[in-house]
Amino acid sequence: MSTSLFSTLKLGGLNLPNRIAVAPMTRARTTQPADIPNEMMAAYYSQRASAGLIVTEATQISPQGKGYSFTPGIFTKDQIEGWKLVTKAVHAAGGRIFLQLWHVGRMSHKSFHPDGKPVAPSALSPDAQVWIVDPETGDGGMVNCPVPRALSVEEIKDIVEDFRNGAKNAIDAGFDGVEIHGANGYLIDQFLRRSSNQRIDGYGGSQENRIRFLREVAQAVADEVGAERTGIRLSPYITQRNMADDEIIEVILKAAKTLEDIGIAYIHLSEADWDDAPIVPDKFRHDLRTAFSGSIVVAGKYTKGRGENILASGLADIVAYGRPFIANPDLPRRFAENLPLADFEPSTLFGGTHKGYSDYRNYGEELELV
């Protein structure tokens, strides 16, 4: 039987009814001041429960791991209780949902850290921006990241435990599994690349040492919740945020072999989604298949046609869609019936109310205007 977006798939202990996933997307709608998930978020995710799998927005594992305003956490009792609203609503609607575990590293802002310094493998600037809400005006905007400070070895070990605890808390909150965010210039990705990691201890230098932090995090999470409930997101071809590294493909493939040994459920490739983004070559996709026998998820400006093609090629098992799911909560139905797709409103992507968030309607239903 040929593989398509509408084929079933066994992922770890889950049986997915289709291979269309909701990609993780930061939307910054938590209840303040404690970054608590809420009923509005429960409505948003449950509306998209017809996807084969939902991966939540990135969720910080500790106060230190935060980099953007109003993003959710998974380290306090109130946050866990807030996420229970989400998982209960998604499961009631027949869906399956993984929580994405996040430590941003140097992709952060001084206001989130007592000493004004985000942390990183090395004290190197990301030359990047994060979305921060001005406490005086309440308005959000992109602001520059400061130069971070380098982590000590003991602090690195503490962060590994924060990932472990975050995974435990996610399962306690009712999630079906967790996805480790190891992509897009955040902390795990920073350890993998020479451009952001110039350590001389056991977490830097050689390729094997640069993989060490990823390996320890993945092993800790898998030990805590089960390898079959664990995935990871990687971004080998993304170079923005001062992340260009001519060794990264070799490092990622070595990391994939390590993840194969741990036995995690899937690797999620974050592919760039801007117009002139680098193309992921088929050779890399074949090499990844050789190194890793679990499922492969892809995300990055995929259309229905591109998604069908990569599944048919055997180079991916699941296609995750981000922006198309924002304005089209019933995206699987629209793909199946070749229905037109609605456009989302960019100004409502980050922060705000349910407008431009949970008020998008299924095909044939009128948009609720407020």
Side-chain angles (χ1 to χ4, degrees):
M1 182 177 66
S2 63
T3 300
S4 76
L5 288 169
F6 307 101
S7 300
T8 59
L9 177 70
K10 186 171 179 59
L11 181 72
L14 295 177
N15 294 310
L16 309 189
N18 61 62
R19 296 170 184 244
I20 301 168
V22 178
M25 293 177 286
T26 294
R27 302 302 307 277
R29 292 308 205 278
T30 57
T31 297
Q32 294 306 305
D35 297 333
I36 300 170
N38 51 43
E39 292 280 7
M40 180 168 57
M41 293 169 61
Y44 170 80
Y45 282 113
S46 64
Q47 289 165 352
R48 289 151 182 82
S50 63
L53 178 68
I54 297 171
V55 182
T56 70
E57 61 212 277
T59 300
Q60 54 257 12
I61 56 172
S62 67
Q64 184 196 71
K66 181 176 179 177
Y68 298 71
S69 294
F70 296 0
T71 50
I74 189 64
F75 55 89
T76 71
K77 181 179 178 181
D78 287 343
Q79 290 165 352
I80 294 168
E81 291 301 311
W83 277 121
K84 286 180 180 179
L85 300 174
V86 175
T87 59
K88 182 178 179 180
V90 169
H91 290 148
R96 297 135 301 276
I97 185 166
F98 274 39
L99 180 80
Q100 190 183 70
L101 301 171
W102 195 27
H103 192 302
V104 300
R106 67 185 188 175
M107 287 292 300
S108 189
H109 186 256
K110 62 183 182 180
S111 61
F112 300 138
H113 305 276
D115 63 357
K117 292 280 191 179
V119 299
S122 302
L124 300 170
S125 172
D127 189 22
Q129 296 183 319
V130 290
W131 189 79
I132 300 296
V133 172
D134 187 320
E136 295 184 3
T137 67
D139 295 328
M142 302 302 289
V143 300
N144 292 331
C145 299
V147 176
R149 67 173 179 84
L151 288 160
S152 70
V153 170
E154 285 306 310
E155 287 176 311
I156 293 170
K157 295 182 183 301
D158 289 341
I159 293 172
V160 172
E161 289 307 302
D162 288 337
F163 271 102
R164 183 196 299 275
N165 291 332
K168 177 184 182 299
N169 291 343
I171 300 304
D172 289 346
F175 284 94
D176 299 299
V178 297
E179 177 178 291
I180 301 162
H181 199 336
N184 298 357
Y186 298 117
L187 185 61
I188 291 175
D189 204 13
Q190 291 161 28
F191 271 94
L192 294 175
R193 302 179 189 242
R194 290 186 303 172
S195 54
S196 50
N197 180 4
Q198 296 181 2
R199 304 179 71 93
I200 57 174
D201 58 25
Y203 288 93
S206 71
Q207 293 183 3
E208 291 297 332
N209 282 350
R210 297 206 304 277
I211 293 168
R212 179 180 173 183
F213 180 61
L214 176 150
R215 181 179 68 249
E216 291 180 351
V217 168
Q219 189 69 67
V221 170
D223 287 346
E224 185 64 40
V225 304
E228 75 283 358
R229 286 177 159 182
T230 304
I232 191 167
R233 199 174 209 213
L234 302 171
S235 55
Y237 286 91
I238 290 178
T239 59
Q240 65 187 106
R241 301 172 174 174
N242 269 355
M243 298 299 287
D245 181 354
D246 59 9
E247 290 188 0
I248 191 59
I249 302 306
E250 296 174 46
V251 171
I252 291 287
L253 290 173
K254 288 180 179 179
K257 292 178 182 177
T258 294
L259 296 168
E260 169 76 5
D261 292 339
I262 295 171
I264 69 168
Y266 70 83
I267 290 175
H268 182 173
L269 290 180
S270 175
E271 303 175 22
D273 62 357
W274 52 88
D275 289 339
D276 61 347
I279 302 298
V280 178
D282 281 352
K283 182 182 184 307
F284 171 78
R285 298 188 192 277
H286 283 287
D287 290 343
L288 183 62
R289 275 293 195 203
T290 299
F292 183 73
S293 63
S295 293
I296 294 175
V297 183
V298 294
K301 212 170 185 181
Y302 278 86
T303 60
K304 176 187 174 184
R306 284 192 66 221
E308 290 281 13
N309 288 340
I310 196 165
L311 292 178
S313 73
L315 296 176
D317 302 289
I318 300 170
V319 182
Y321 293 87
R323 293 172 185 174
F325 255 121
I326 292 176
N328 302 278
D330 59 340
L331 187 66
R333 177 197 169 196
R334 296 196 192 215
F335 279 171
E337 299 179 19
N338 293 314
L339 299 172
L341 301 185
D343 294 325
F344 69 90
E345 172 49 57
S347 66
T348 60
L349 282 178
F350 304 118
T353 66
H354 70 281
K355 189 173 183 180
Y357 182 63
S358 57
D359 64 340
Y360 291 110
R361 291 294 177 252
N362 295 336
Y363 186 79
E365 297 178 352
E366 187 174 343
L367 178 67
E368 179 183 330
L369 299 177
V370 178

